[in-house]
Amino acid sequence: MTNSPLLVTGGTGTLGGHVLPLLRAAGHDVRVLTRGARPDADGVRFVTGDLLKDEGTGAAVDGVGTVLHLAGGAKGDDVATRHLVRAAQRAGVRHLVYISVVGADRLPLGYFRSKLGAEQAVADSGLPYSMLRAAQFHDLALKVAAGMGRLPVVPAPGGLRWQPVDSRDVAARLVELALDEPAGLVPDLVGPTVYPLAELVRGYLKARGRRRPALPVRVPGKVGRAYRAGDNLTLAGAERGGRTWEAFLAERVG
Ligand SMILES: NC(=O)c1ccc[n+]([C@@H]2O[C@H](COP(=O)([O-])OP(=O)(O)OC[C@H]3O[C@@H](n4cnc5c(N)ncnc54)[C@H](OP(=O)(O)O)[C@@H]3O)[C@@H](O)[C@H]2O)c1
């Protein structure tokens, strides 16, 4: 395709890894911003930069019409996104697609606050945008469950629930958004089922053929209250990914 390439930040990550082939299959050239260096391959060109340090940002967005901003870390997504937004404004980007997290506007935790700051940078930028809040990915649930499953006794935080979603379903939705007109904040995307965290761990242990005793614990303070109130969930009005946690476990662990 001779059209301008799409820029994918975070194209080397879990979500990005699912997004790239979908964009390529739709016939688009893709540019990926990464802090590392990689050889170009199959219509994907890697450019080096660091959004937190604001290095390489201008070159990454140069000549790009649509940006899928998927880069993220435990900290600083607000700062990184402000840098990207400023470069995108200068470059005249026509559509900025951002992945946020369910509960960004509610949970009193640093990661969620920085996602909200990033959302605000996008929404206040004046750039046409689409923004999707997704629930925790199955990949993350697996990492958490595997970590907790290594303990001799598994903590079971009362009232803490997740509705994990498959990162392939999130990727498909983001590509759909990127190839359509800017839509603003769209309905949240969550997984098909709500699980107590302890049940996710139990499912993982079962798939590994293991059992561990559970120890009920209470998450203290306002974070605990927010989780018990379900502030990290979207129980009504969300779109639901089709792939289940059980199917994911069977693929990855079974
Ligand atoms: N994981 C979840 O459960 C979940 C749920 C909802 C929303 N999200 C959001 O979805 C996005 C992708 O998550 P993921 O789990 O796929 O992430 P991931 O696998 O941890 O990958 C992170 C990506 O961000 C890039 N990155 C990190 N810091 C960067 C920086 N300073 N400059 C440029 N690139 C940087 C990394 O690129 P290099 O290492 O190549 O530089 C990598 O491609 C994130 O924004 C995350 O907040 C995740």
Side-chain angles (χ1 to χ4, degrees), residues 39 71 188 190 194 204 221 249:
D188 294 355
V190 299
V194 176
Y204 163 79
L249 274 181

Side-chain angles (χ1 to χ4, degrees), residues 51 56 82 123 165 177-178 208-209:
L51 289 172
R82 281 197 287 273
V165 65
L177 290 168
R208 299 291 309 253

Side-chain angles (χ1 to χ4, degrees), residues 10 12-15 34-35 50-51 70-72 100 111 115 135-137:
T12 58
T14 303
L15 180 60
T34 168
R35 290 165 298 176
D50 187 322
L51 289 172
L70 318 178
S100 186
Y111 167 72
K115 295 301 278 184
Q136 279 66 41
F137 303 162

Side-chain angles (χ1 to χ4, degrees), residues 9-17 32-36 38 49-53 55 69-73 75 77 80 98-102 111 115 132-141 143 162 165 167 170 174:
T9 76
T12 58
T14 303
L15 180 60
V32 169
L33 174 70
T34 168
R35 290 165 298 176
R38 295 198 181 200
D50 187 322
L51 289 172
L52 264 179
K53 297 180 184 158
E55 288 171 2
H69 178 31
L70 318 178
K75 278 189 204 169
D77 282 4
Y98 182 58
I99 180 69
S100 186
V101 64
V102 169
Y111 167 72
K115 295 301 278 184
L132 175 67
R133 290 175 177 156
Q136 279 66 41
F137 303 162
H138 287 150
D139 316 80
L140 180 63
K143 216 180 277 177
W162 274 23
V165 65
S167 48
V170 180
L174 285 167

Side-chain angles (χ1 to χ4, degrees), residues 151-207:
L151 301 170
V153 176
V154 174
L160 201 161
R161 293 164 291 161
W162 274 23
Q163 47 188 172
V165 65
D166 201 285
S167 48
R168 290 164 291 188
D169 290 333
V170 180
R173 179 71 179 118
L174 285 167
V175 168
E176 189 177 70
L177 290 168
L179 301 183
D180 205 339
E181 294 300 314
L185 181 64
V186 299
D188 294 355
L189 180 58
V190 299
T193 311
V194 176
Y195 302 87
L197 184 61
E199 201 177 312
L200 290 174
V201 182
R202 228 179 357 255
Y204 163 79
L205 287 170
K206 194 170 162 213

